[in-house]
Amino acid sequence: MRRDHRPYWMHQAWESFENRWARHFLLPHFADIGRDPKIVQPWAVEVFGPNITVGKHLHIIANSHDPVRLTVWAPQTQAGRISLGDHVFLAPGTRILAAGEIEIGDAALIANKVTITDCDWHSVHDRVDPQPAFKPVRLGKNVWIGDGAFIGKGVTIGDHSVVGARSVVTRDVEPWTIVAGNPARVIKRIDPDAPMKTRSDLFADAAGLDRFMDTAYRQSLAGNSTIGWLRSRLWPARGD
């Protein structure tokens, strides 16, 4: 499909349905969640375990093929936690798995199929331990994790740093640094004096952003009709 054939009312109805579904079925599983989360296909998001907290303007995109999973392992004598800051973005396939503690700072960008874990989950000689050892993981503010990257136990990633696609990070990353590879190594340093815009800047005027997005959808879907949408679904033509 080359373009969105939905009429504007259908787009609005679908967003309303997703928001209502998320409020009823998903959001109660968080220990705490800030205002105005935006979750695409919330039925493909799994939140399991206690102590999972999220700041304002969480944005998750999920689908049935690439669900997003936030999981805390919580045996009776050991309860982990996951903490996400404000304006965090999680792409499809993200997995965040905590036996102890994972903290992700404001405005973090987590790309498709990223795994973040604070635990190996089994030791070499004991693969049935119900309380596996962990080392806390901390991602700073405005961190960008590329597609398919793996962030392992005990890792701290400094503010504004970037992890390249498919990288395996097992050591700390300094602020303002780009790393990539398996194992990840420093590729370059980011100039801290250069202008930097983050997702937090995007939400500085949240109401204005909502108006902008609504206007963009109205314009892009202008002229679409319910009959035209049905025709494109049932009898697609070249150019649809």
Side-chain angles (χ1 to χ4, degrees), residues 149-176:
F150 176 88
I151 312 300
K153 66 181 184 181
V155 168
T156 294
I157 298 179
D159 294 350
H160 310 293
S161 290
V162 178
V163 173
R166 308 296 187 270
S167 297
V168 175
V169 185
T170 58
R171 296 183 180 181
D172 291 353
V173 178
E174 295 180 355
W176 302 97

Side-chain angles (χ1 to χ4, degrees), residues 61-118:
I61 298 177
N63 60 65
S64 59
H65 299 291
D66 293 307
V68 169
R69 295 184 171 95
L70 286 73
T71 303
V72 168
W73 174 239
Q76 292 181 352
T77 57
Q78 173 183 307
R81 75 181 188 95
I82 294 172
S83 173
L84 276 61
D86 297 337
H87 318 123
V88 170
F89 174 82
L90 305 179
T94 296
R95 298 192 308 153
I96 303 175
L97 314 170
E101 182 178 4
I102 295 177
E103 293 185 358
I104 297 178
D106 296 346
L109 288 164
I110 313 298
N112 185 261
K113 291 183 172 65
V114 166
T115 296
I116 302 171
T117 180
D118 65 356

Side-chain angles (χ1 to χ4, degrees), residues 27 29-33 46-54 70-72 80-84 96:
L27 301 192
H29 296 292
F30 290 93
D32 189 38
I33 187 166
E46 300 176 7
V47 175
F48 180 82
N51 310 320
I52 301 175
T53 62
V54 181
L70 286 73
T71 303
V72 168
R81 75 181 188 95
I82 294 172
S83 173
L84 276 61
I96 303 175

Side-chain angles (χ1 to χ4, degrees), residues 14-29:
W14 182 252
E15 279 210 339
S16 179
F17 171 72
E18 285 184 327
N19 292 340
R20 289 174 180 270
W21 201 102
R23 285 195 298 269
H24 184 77
F25 291 108
L26 179 63
L27 301 192
H29 296 292

